[in-house]
Amino acid sequence: MMRVLHIVGARPNFMKIAPIIAEMRKYPESFESVLVHTGQHYDPKMSGVFFRDLELPAPDVFLGVGSGTHAEQTARVMLALEPVILERCPDLVVIVGDVNSTVAAALVCAKLCVPLAHVEAGLRSFDRTMPEEVNRIVTDQLSDLLFTTEEDANANLLREGVAPAKIHFVGNVMIDSLVKALPKIERSQASERLGLERKGYALVTLHRPSNVDDPASLATILGALADIGGDLPVVFPVHPRTAQNIARAGLATTSGALRMVDPLPYVDFLHLCANARLVLTDSGGVQEETTYLGIPCLTLRPNTERPATVSLGTNRLIGLDRRSIETAARAAMNGGVSEGRVPPLWDGRAAERIVTILQPSEARRSAA
Ligand code: UD1
């Protein structure tokens, strides 16, 4: 029996851990799962509703670290997590993605010599001004098992000197959650509730510090969105960081065609995504979800750590000035985005592959 401690903290972690826990539960003789929530995200709309939609068990341990500067938040996770690891003595710790909770957990486990598996390893934007890039590099160096979502990630890890035996290309657990939720996504009434016609609106998400922390950049983007709203309704579920910055910069009263709403639950958000004419985003996960769903995606960033979404999928990186955003959006509205392909192994079975690799060797032998 292997005791596995799964660590989550922020919204994009929940849909990545859910399929792994669900898969391990199929083998109760092999795995005992303990779920730790750091509390990096704590608003019900950023956390609780995702547990419901993803059928995640309630966390066994809640660390309640909350918000803060990068050092504060990372340090608080480390301080709160260390005694949990010492008490629970896991055989393996599983971390996902690239948020501050991820790197904090990696540091704690590496110092305590607890084996560490990183899911979604090897992604690189090559932009160290992005906090997640720092988290990704450190986490990968400290991990014992690295599960990758796309082939570029393998090349990045090998270039950084990670031993090939540690790296496993397994596909995308985020897509596992999406595939499982497809029937619920179809049944969701979110578009009707918001008075939106299918394929008759644009969906926006925005929360990168590089876009929303600077009032001038934020004003430029909101201006472009309001203009796009003249042609097509724009619905914008606003992340708490972005909401605060919009309020602080006095930008809350934009045109009526730009509909700002609260953050949406997982299923409702993906329903809006699947039925949008186009999506504009600076999120990592949304670039992947739109690629899977075949929805045109314009990414408001100069780079992406998920190149398969551009080379194979429906994603395009666009400039951050008002004109480029508007021009790219108009082209996408008029069908000017090439059809994409779903990247290899984004098939809903990534967690299955991960759990097969993690099976204690006797169980693997008897299953063979
Ligand atoms: C974090 C991740 C980012 C991820 C994003 C998804 C890091 C460095 N960043 O960014 O990679 O894409 O989550 O959402 O880990 N806040 C609330 N309620 C909450 C959480 C946050 O109001 O439940 C507000 C707080 O004012 C906080 C701010 O949002 O200071 C930012 O939260 P934080 O967790 O620091 O980073 P995110 O921008 O959410």
Side-chain angles (χ1 to χ4, degrees), residues 9-13 39-47 66-70 73-74 98-102 130-132 135-136 207-209 212-213 239-242 244 248 282-285:
R11 185 168 63 176
N13 291 161
Q40 174 172 345
H41 283 174
Y42 43 86
D43 281 354
K45 289 190 176 103
M46 298 296 285
S47 177
S67 303
T69 65
H70 285 276
Q73 195 172 54
T74 310
D98 55 13
V99 302
N100 284 345
S101 297
T102 312
M130 189 182 181
E132 293 80 4
N135 295 346
R136 290 189 280 258
H207 74 283
R208 290 270 150 241
V212 305
D213 285 3
H239 184 285
R241 172 193 279 279
T242 311
Q244 277 173 19
R248 213 175 282 144
D282 60 9
S283 148

Side-chain angles (χ1 to χ4, degrees), residues 1-2 23-33 359:
M1 167 74 80
M2 187 190 268
E23 187 65 23
M24 283 189 180
R25 281 181 153 187
K26 294 184 187 163
Y27 306 97
E29 65 298 344
S30 300
F31 300 103
E32 177 200 344
S33 285
Q359 281 277 7

